[in-house]
Amino acid sequence: MLSTLQPPRSLSLLPLRRFRNSKTIVSASSSTTSVISPPQSQILTTRRSLLSGETTAAEIAKSYLSRIRLTEPQLKCFLHVSENVLKDAQEIDQRIAKGEELGPLAGVLIGVKDNICTQGMPSTAASRILEHYRPPFDATAVKKIKELGGIVVGKTNMDEFGMGSTTEASAFQVTANPWDLSRVPGGSSGGSAAAVAARQCMVSLGSDTGGSVRQPASFCGVVGLKPTYGRVSRFGLMAYASSLDVIGCFGSTVADAGMLLHAISGYDRFDSTSSKQDVPEFQSQFLSVDHFESKPLNGVKVGIIRETLEDGVDSGVRSATQEAASHLEALGCVLTEVSLPSFSLGLPAYYVIASSESSSNLSRYDGVRYGNQVMAEELNKLYECSRGEGFGGEVKMRILMGTYALSAGYYDAYYKRAQQVRTLIRKDFKAALEQNDILISPAAPSAAYKIGEKKDDPLAMYAGDIMTVNVNLAGLPAMVLPCGLVEGGPSGLPVGLQMIGAAFDEEKLLKVGHIFEQTLKGSSFVPPLLANVP
Amino acid sequence: MSTTLFRTFQPNQFSLLGTSLLRRRRSNNFSVRSCGSQTTTTHEAKQSSPTRVAPKNHKSNKLDEILRDYEAVIGIETHVQLSTLTKAFCSCSNNYGSYPNISICPVCMGLPGALPVLNSKVVEFGVRLGLALNCDLSLKSKFDRKQYFYPDLPKGYQISQFDIPIASGGYVDLDIPLEFGGGHRRFGITRVHMEEDAGKLLHSDTGDYSQVDLNRAGVPLLEIVSEPDMRSGIEAAEYACEMQRIARYLGVSNGNMQEGSLRCDVNISIRPIGQAEFGTKVEIKNLNAFSAISRAIDFEISRQALLYNQGKADEIVTETRLWEEGAQKTVTMRKKEGLADYRYFPEPDLPEVILTKEYVDSIRASLPELPEAKRRRYEAMGLGMQDVLFLANDVSVAEYFDAVIGKGAEVKLAANWIMSDIAAYLKNEKLSINDIKLTPHELAELIAAIKDGTISGKIGKEVSSLPFNNESSFVWINATFSIFADTV
């Protein structure tokens, strides 16, 4: 169901007049002639209508499946759509009919990034080397979703093994941005972000190693939530960089992303790096806008990171960020400028650490036990051919970089050094977050660029990660939510604001983000593609 | 009553190094160096080392002369497979000998998305062994990834410990068996670290294909690296025996070389006596018995000495050689092109291993009496070295002996009983001392009864000829005691 002003029952399209009103640049805080009520949580709406009997899980599922059928040829968000969606939905309906207890995610349709293991469903990490691979187990996050009644709609497209920022590095297909089909949805969780933006599913899971949830959230105009490292179990997430990877959540509202995160969080004995910290009840943060006080964020200290508004950032992005900052001020926040001196060191440190760890994590893909094997006369040939043909160019490049960085004589100069830089970055963030409740910055230096634009210039593509990698190095939680539109595409391109919190303080991020979102005047972030889709 | 089960005395052919036979008073057909009750004795060894037999020929005389100018420098890497219930990083059963690929899971198979979780017993065993080897423990250690590609290594890396092993800087004291010259030795231990085992490859007869069995992948190992302190095959073999003894005493492993729960690789170089720098080091693998260790080393020392002697020292290269049991020689396996680069880096999926003082102290307090302490205690009780080594070197024999003297039996008599009559019986019936039905208590009574004359020497002899596993013999013994006891 669309989470905007339409009454919950009908899935009708948005009135066209909305789109005629939105000009090429819409400022976040300018008022428009139409009154748009704040976005509603799809998870809560689904629950309400199922419990009230207004509709059934099967009905909901059918409508989403038909939307998928209609939009997939253009968008290509999914690598695999589950054959069991209706069956799972019917099971929920049976439980409702029997008056059984319903989990908080009952009937909620969830997309899962293809590097997260789903038992019996192909999980390829968008790589040829795992084409047709079906894991014998569910990732812990998927297990939890299923236990709470969630329905896995399918596996979403991504950059191969999480290496990329555009989803162009998928071995199988390129996902299009629902806001402009000639542009990238971002990466590496591009499929998950686009699927939520296009309402092909209600929420989705992605993974974030250097910004792979936050940047596509910004490019697609959805909420992307990256938890603290260790908040969510990594068991079942195909490892890219073990000390940086997290599973993250996409939703069309902060509340949805937060509720999904709550569902998958918690200590897991199968992941030694998962944290035993309590998971607070996030739900208490999602008050209805009617219950907000006049200055609902009174006294909240917000630090805007100076280094993220310097050269290299598009003017449109910069002004959208500054308007978002003003909006926060209007809500009562105290804004100050914060400097993180080690900021620029993050990108090189990230690429050394990530490629080193990934070169090791990808060694298991050798064609011997699973995945595609190229027969050969001799062992080394078997490895060479299976891996050479199975891996794409970007993956091979990063494996080479990482192998080099860890090789004898270079470990101290590269990997060890990068880890030392990481300590500096952590310290700077910690200090800044002692003086501030949250830090803010743009999510990316620009809005979505054209498909093919950065393909031949990997360094330019890497440079786009500058806003996001430091957060992974520091292991902190962060959220990106749409804050404005910039010029481009048929109706503008969304831009997201990144909010960064202290370790394990997702609660604060969700509180600030929810209030920000619910009070944001202006455009609703529904892509024009949906104008023609029931 | 029943037939005598004495074995007749058989001369042993202790002929390595050309030392003379030590004739034993009692028919003890064990070689002291058969470490553990079920392993093969050194009998076959002696029969198959022709160049070492007492009648010296011209050739071995010349070899001995050459060997006198060189000193061997030997170090041993021992892998001890731990007898934990489950594997090192997952909850698969740690079983030997199952049908292939039965005891596997996503973690030890290295499936995408699987993560390791440390089995705490591995740390406990590592601390036990480290303390038993008199090492310093690293209160903070970590795991590292050792990276290389091979089909039996599912993740493409082995979780091991690189620069901060759990224990380091220790030593082991042992006694060389009397038939090889006797004497105390102390050998240094460089380090002990935890790691996981790889799977097994089974090659087809035709050589067309190989199959991977991952039952063993992820089984916990402790690797013990010795200082290069050993100087001969005997010393190296006895060191390896002592590692097995200690592992069994501690209960961390069954130490069976045949099963692969104890594996030794030897590093050996020689240098002219008086030279300070080490010669070129050669690694020898495929040593499946303690006797193989000593023979392989002897062969390798000769091979290298001869090359030196002929001025061909540069033909000795850093390489790995395999010991061929059939041909009784080492052969080149592969030449090492420099050191392998394993691209070690800290394992990001596992946290640091932190030991508290309380934890270490509690383990130290729970250590059993170790072989060295036992040997010294038996020596102090007045037993000769021959007896000391026999009784102390097998943990079950030592337990039995301790129990018997614990019941008050006289030390020398108890030793005699165990080393002659009981040992003979066990050897004949191919049993271990754990199978015997004569309890230590009963043996102590028997000894006491003979000693104080309750039973005459003649009856004692008869009694001693009874099969020790027969229930009826105990009834007889007990009946005899009570009769005689009443008459005293």
Side-chain angles (χ1 to χ4, degrees):
Chain A
M1 273 172 285
L2 299 177
S3 66
T4 51
L5 54 74
Q6 298 307 308
R9 162 164 261 197
S10 73
L11 301 173
S12 54
L13 41 88
L14 288 174
L16 286 172
R17 62 181 161 84
R18 188 157 334 287
F19 287 96
R20 289 200 202 103
N21 269 335
S22 55
K23 293 292 182 184
T24 47
I25 299 176
V26 178
S27 118
S29 52
S30 70
S31 55
T32 55
T33 49
S34 56
V35 177
I36 302 168
S37 68
Q40 301 285 311
S41 155
Q42 292 192 52
I43 293 178
L44 289 178
T45 319
T46 303
R47 190 177 181 75
R48 244 179 276 131
S49 50
L50 285 180
L51 288 177
S52 69
E54 235 178 279
T55 182
T56 63
E59 296 259 312
I60 300 175
K62 274 191 211 134
S63 74
Y64 273 81
L65 285 173
S66 89
R67 192 155 38 236
I68 290 176
R69 261 192 303 276
L70 270 170
T71 54
E72 265 298 273
Q74 300 160 287
L75 290 178
K76 301 205 180 61
C77 299
F78 284 93
L79 289 173
H80 176 85
V81 176
S82 165
E83 293 118 17
N84 296 326
V85 178
L86 270 180
K87 181 163 135 321
D88 293 341
Q90 280 153 2
E91 259 168 56
I92 302 284
D93 288 329
Q94 279 160 21
R95 307 253 304 267
I96 299 174
K98 288 192 211 158
E100 279 174 27
E101 180 89 24
L102 280 189
L105 293 179
V108 174
L109 296 160
I110 306 175
V112 175
K113 186 176 181 183
D114 209 23
N115 61 354
I116 298 174
C117 288
T118 41
Q119 186 174 6
M121 236 191 269
S123 304
T124 66
S127 176
R128 288 230 178 271
I129 211 168
L130 284 181
E131 199 174 5
H132 312 306
Y133 172 71
R134 289 178 193 246
F137 67 98
D138 275 328
T140 300
V142 171
K143 193 157 149 289
K144 288 184 170 205
I145 283 174
K146 289 183 180 177
E147 276 167 7
L148 298 175
I151 299 172
V152 175
V153 161
K155 308 303 294 298
T156 57
N157 195 22
M158 51 182 283
D159 286 299
E160 193 180 350
F161 283 111
M163 299 178 183
S165 313
T166 62
T167 315
E168 288 165 303
S170 164
F172 303 116
Q173 62 203 39
V174 178
T175 303
N177 190 321
W179 289 80
D180 177 345
L181 300 176
S182 69
R183 290 178 191 261
V184 299
S188 59
S189 313
S192 282
V196 170
R199 306 303 191 263
Q200 291 179 332
C201 56
M202 297 176 192
V203 288
S204 65
L205 290 182
S207 70
D208 191 315
T209 305
S212 292
V213 161
R214 292 163 285 150
Q215 183 248 39
S218 177
F219 280 16
C220 291
V222 294
V223 177
L225 178 53
K226 174 209 173 291
T228 313
Y229 181 85
R231 178 59 102 186
V232 177
S233 168
R234 284 187 298 122
F235 186 77
L237 170 67
M238 301 186 189
Y240 162 14
S242 314
S243 70
L244 300 167
D245 288 345
V246 298
I247 293 181
C249 306
F250 289 101
S252 51
T253 61
V254 171
D256 280 338
M259 281 186 273
L260 183 59
L261 178 65
H262 187 267
I264 61 174
S265 295
Y267 172 69
D268 181 18
R269 67 191 177 93
F270 290 111
D271 176 358
S272 304
T273 59
S274 79
S275 167
K276 295 202 169 123
Q277 284 257 357
D278 281 334
V279 184
E281 263 308 319
F282 296 150
Q283 197 121 337
S284 55
Q285 303 304 329
F286 307 134
L287 299 173
S288 161
V289 66
D290 317 313
H291 294 120
F292 291 176
E293 301 153 7
S294 63
K295 287 220 184 257
L297 293 177
N298 201 19
V300 172
K301 291 182 282 182
V302 173
I304 184 162
I305 302 173
R306 181 198 310 155
E307 286 82 3
T308 62
L309 292 172
E310 288 166 350
D311 298 333
V313 181
D314 272 11
S315 55
V317 170
R318 206 176 300 151
S319 50
T321 309
Q322 276 154 354
E323 276 156 18
S326 310
H327 180 58
L328 285 169
E329 257 179 333
L331 292 168
C333 294
V334 177
L335 267 277
T336 44
E337 203 183 66
V338 148
S339 171
L340 300 174
S342 57
F343 192 82
S344 61
L345 300 174
L347 203 55
Y350 167 79
Y351 272 100
V352 168
I353 294 174
S355 45
S356 301
E357 290 181 7
S358 67
S359 73
S360 176
N361 286 325
L362 267 60
S363 294
R364 64 189 65 194
Y365 305 108
D366 53 13
V368 172
R369 290 168 311 291
Y370 47 81
N372 277 337
Q373 182 188 84
V374 177
M375 295 283 284
E377 289 297 302
E378 186 259 317
L379 182 64
N380 283 330
K381 247 322 184 233
L382 176 94
Y383 287 148
E384 252 179 62
C385 296
S386 302
R387 286 164 67 84
E389 288 171 34
F391 286 141
E394 183 66 34
V395 170
K396 284 195 269 207
M397 186 160 68
R398 297 204 196 184
I399 291 177
L400 286 171
M401 277 164 54
T403 309
Y404 177 83
L406 289 177
S407 58
Y410 293 107
Y411 169 80
D412 283 355
Y414 290 114
Y415 189 79
K416 190 162 167 200
R417 185 84 161 192
Q419 293 281 40
Q420 289 166 334
V421 165
R422 189 177 183 170
T423 310
L424 288 178
I425 292 173
R426 259 200 208 124
K427 274 167 64 178
D428 278 355
F429 268 98
K430 192 154 182 287
L433 284 162
E434 272 160 13
Q435 305 302 317
N436 294 280
D437 291 296
I438 63 167
L439 305 175
I440 60 171
S441 80
S446 72
Y449 38 84
K450 295 270 187 189
I451 291 174
E453 195 178 309
K454 302 264 164 90
K455 206 153 192 205
D456 296 322
D457 194 353
L459 287 182
M461 189 182 67
Y462 295 170
D465 293 336
I466 184 75
M467 307 292 181
T468 47
V469 293
N470 285 302
V471 172
N472 298 84
L473 291 168
L476 299 174
M479 183 167 67
V480 164
L481 62 167
C483 66
L485 294 170
V486 299
E487 216 174 291
S491 355
L493 300 170
V495 157
L497 177 74
Q498 175 174 231
M499 299 183 181
I500 304 166
F504 298 102
D505 202 8
E506 289 86 356
E507 227 181 336
K508 193 169 293 165
L509 283 179
L510 291 168
K511 170 181 172 170
V512 175
H514 174 71
I515 292 173
F516 178 98
E517 169 197 82
Q518 296 285 302
T519 53
L520 191 64
K521 307 276 182 277
S523 46
S524 68
F525 291 94
V526 180
L529 171 98
L530 291 176
N532 302 316
V533 175
Chain B
M1 277 259 136
S2 43
T3 53
T4 307
L5 294 168
F6 276 115
R7 295 210 49 195
T8 51
F9 176 72
Q10 276 186 7
N12 288 312
Q13 298 155 46
F14 297 118
S15 51
L16 283 175
L17 300 186
T19 53
S20 57
L21 289 178
L22 288 169
R23 299 195 136 242
R24 301 285 223 32
R25 277 199 299 113
R26 293 165 297 280
S27 57
N28 179 350
N29 290 303
F30 285 155
S31 155
V32 173
R33 206 156 45 72
S34 70
C35 312
S37 39
Q38 308 286 11
T39 53
T40 53
T41 67
T42 50
H43 274 122
E44 334 142 25
K46 282 129 205 140
Q47 275 136 28
S48 52
S49 50
T51 56
R52 297 309 203 170
V53 167
K56 296 191 180 200
N57 53 36
H58 173 71
K59 188 161 161 223
S60 77
N61 260 338
K62 181 131 194 306
L63 185 59
D64 286 345
E65 261 176 49
I66 297 173
L67 288 176
R68 249 176 296 184
D69 295 331
Y70 297 96
E71 172 184 61
V73 176
I74 302 161
I76 298 191
E77 278 167 25
T78 309
H79 286 90
V80 178
Q81 217 173 61
L82 301 181
S83 54
T84 52
L85 286 176
T86 55
K87 294 184 177 181
F89 299 111
C90 64
S91 49
C92 288
S93 285
N94 180 2
N95 282 334
Y96 174 75
S98 314
Y99 197 75
N101 291 315
I102 280 230
S103 190
I104 58 175
C105 74
V107 178
C108 52
M109 270 197 81
L111 289 188
L115 295 171
V117 179
L118 179 59
N119 178 347
S120 59
K121 225 26 181 193
V122 178
V123 178
E124 187 191 309
F125 283 7
V127 172
R128 280 168 82 82
L129 188 60
L131 291 173
L133 294 175
N134 306 293
C135 293
D136 298 320
L137 295 174
S138 301
L139 294 181
K140 271 195 189 179
S141 67
K142 62 174 167 65
F143 288 101
D144 300 287
R145 292 188 184 178
K146 178 178 181 180
Q147 308 192 71
Y148 63 95
F149 286 91
Y150 207 59
D152 65 3
L153 195 66
K155 298 188 290 291
Y157 57 85
Q158 176 195 34
I159 299 178
S160 177
Q161 294 188 291
F162 177 51
D163 51 340
I164 311 180
I166 191 165
S168 55
Y171 59 86
V172 64
D173 289 316
L174 49 84
D175 293 285
I176 300 292
L178 291 176
E179 57 267 29
F180 304 121
H184 300 308
R185 294 285 189 282
R186 171 174 287 194
F187 297 131
I189 304 281
T190 314
R191 54 184 277 154
V192 178
H193 71 255
M194 307 179 276
E195 61 183 24
E196 54 173 353
D197 211 344
K200 268 202 190 115
L201 285 186
L202 298 142
H203 306 288
S204 72
D205 296 326
T206 52
D208 282 350
Y209 62 89
S210 301
Q211 293 167 303
V212 184
D213 174 14
L214 293 177
N215 281 344
R216 202 184 66 175
V219 163
L221 301 174
L222 285 174
E223 180 174 332
I224 309 167
V225 180
S226 81
E227 293 285 334
D229 287 348
M230 286 143 270
R231 296 285 173 265
S232 71
I234 302 300
E235 290 188 354
E238 193 56 32
Y239 167 91
C241 277
E242 187 71 2
M243 288 301 110
Q244 184 191 61
R245 250 170 242 139
I246 293 176
R248 288 176 174 180
Y249 263 70
L250 293 172
V252 302
S253 169
N254 64 24
N256 282 338
M257 282 189 93
Q258 297 90 324
E259 273 175 31
S261 16
L262 186 85
R263 314 200 277 258
C264 292
D265 296 330
V266 165
N267 288 302
I268 173 172
S269 66
I270 69 171
R271 60 186 173 190
I273 293 191
Q275 180 178 301
E277 22 167 84
F278 292 124
T280 311
K281 191 167 63 167
V282 167
E283 184 185 20
I284 308 178
K285 281 180 160 335
N286 197 36
L287 301 164
N288 296 320
F290 299 113
S291 52
I293 292 178
S294 101
R295 276 178 281 125
I297 287 174
D298 289 341
F299 175 88
E300 189 58 23
I301 293 174
S302 306
R303 183 187 81 90
Q304 293 191 13
L306 282 171
L307 284 173
Y308 257 96
N309 194 249
Q310 291 157 6
K312 295 189 199 159
D314 46 345
E315 278 184 33
I316 304 171
V317 290
T318 306
E319 60 169 340
T320 302
R321 294 175 74 88
L322 291 178
W323 170 249
E324 282 187 356
E325 188 66 29
Q328 290 284 298
K329 59 182 184 133
T330 64
V331 293
T332 301
M333 173 181 162
R334 57 170 179 259
K335 293 226 178 340
K336 282 192 178 161
E337 306 109 7
L339 290 168
D341 181 5
Y342 292 114
R343 299 194 307 284
Y344 286 100
F345 77 102
E347 170 61 81
D349 291 330
L350 292 171
E352 269 188 320
V353 178
I354 299 184
L355 307 172
T356 61
K357 189 175 168 305
E358 291 78 30
Y359 177 78
V360 174
D361 288 343
S362 76
I363 293 185
R364 191 181 283 118
S366 75
L367 290 179
E369 186 186 36
L370 292 171
E372 173 61 11
K374 232 185 249 301
R375 289 189 291 257
R376 302 286 73 82
R377 177 163 66 89
Y378 289 177
E379 218 179 5
M381 287 194 297
L383 290 167
M385 263 330 272
Q386 187 84 344
D387 298 1
V388 164
L389 293 181
F390 183 92
L391 293 167
N393 280 349
D394 181 313
V395 58
S396 311
V397 172
E399 241 171 61
Y400 192 92
F401 175 68
D402 282 335
V404 172
I405 59 178
K407 296 287 177 209
E410 199 190 283
V411 165
K412 208 63 178 105
L413 293 176
N416 287 353
W417 269 94
I418 294 175
M419 290 178 63
S420 56
D421 299 86
I422 294 183
Y425 176 73
L426 294 176
K427 171 108 182 161
N428 205 38
E429 301 296 308
K430 296 197 186 6
L431 293 171
S432 93
I433 199 152
N434 293 323
D435 303 323
I436 200 175
K437 291 225 177 67
L438 180 70
T439 67
H441 178 77
E442 284 160 351
L443 179 58
E445 286 199 340
L446 181 60
I447 291 171
I450 294 176
K451 179 175 177 201
D452 65 20
T454 312
I455 305 179
S456 72
K458 177 170 172 289
I459 304 278
K461 265 261 180 243
E462 277 184 41
V463 166
S464 75
S465 73
L466 292 171
F468 291 112
N469 258 13
N470 191 319
E471 287 291 351
S472 64
S473 58
F474 301 143
V475 174
W476 195 93
I477 292 175
N478 283 324
T480 316
F481 280 178
S482 46
I483 292 171
F484 285 105
D486 286 346
T487 61
V488 160

